Amino acid sequence: PFWLKSSREQLPQSPRPRPARCSAMADANAPKLAVVKQILGRTGSRGGVIQVKVEFTSEDNPELKGRSLVRNVKGPVREGDILALLETEREARRLR
């Protein structure tokens, strides 16, 4: 019976054009890989955050190769760990 058909079956489906994804846009939002070179100490009101010095790897972005930053990391971390950083411009304030 026609009254039991779903609305999807009654209407012909027209293929909608999908928006093109720019590969440069996807690469800009991709996480950048950085290796923990040195642990500087604990920070935060209860010491739950570890301040580390990281150096970017060359495989993901050649323009960041060799650049190092001081970042705050929540959770367990040790030297040699690889971090995936979504933001590479901001640097943490140094411990006093």
Side-chain angles (χ1 to χ4, degrees), residues 40-96:
L40 302 175
R42 289 190 171 264
T43 184
S45 61
R46 298 185 179 171
V49 178
I50 302 171
Q51 200 164 64
V52 297
K53 180 174 248 181
V54 297
E55 187 174 300
F56 290 99
T57 59
S58 61
E59 57 201 36
D60 50 338
N61 273 13
E63 66 268 7
L64 291 174
K65 180 183 178 183
R67 185 170 167 220
S68 63
L69 286 176
V70 174
R71 295 299 297 254
N72 292 330
V73 179
K74 186 168 184 177
V77 66
R78 57 184 166 187
E79 289 184 20
D81 284 354
I82 298 175
L83 303 178
L85 302 176
L86 297 176
E87 202 277 324
T88 59
E89 299 296 320
R90 198 172 13 168
E91 189 163 358
R93 284 183 276 164
R94 304 267 180 184
L95 288 172
R96 287 182 239 156

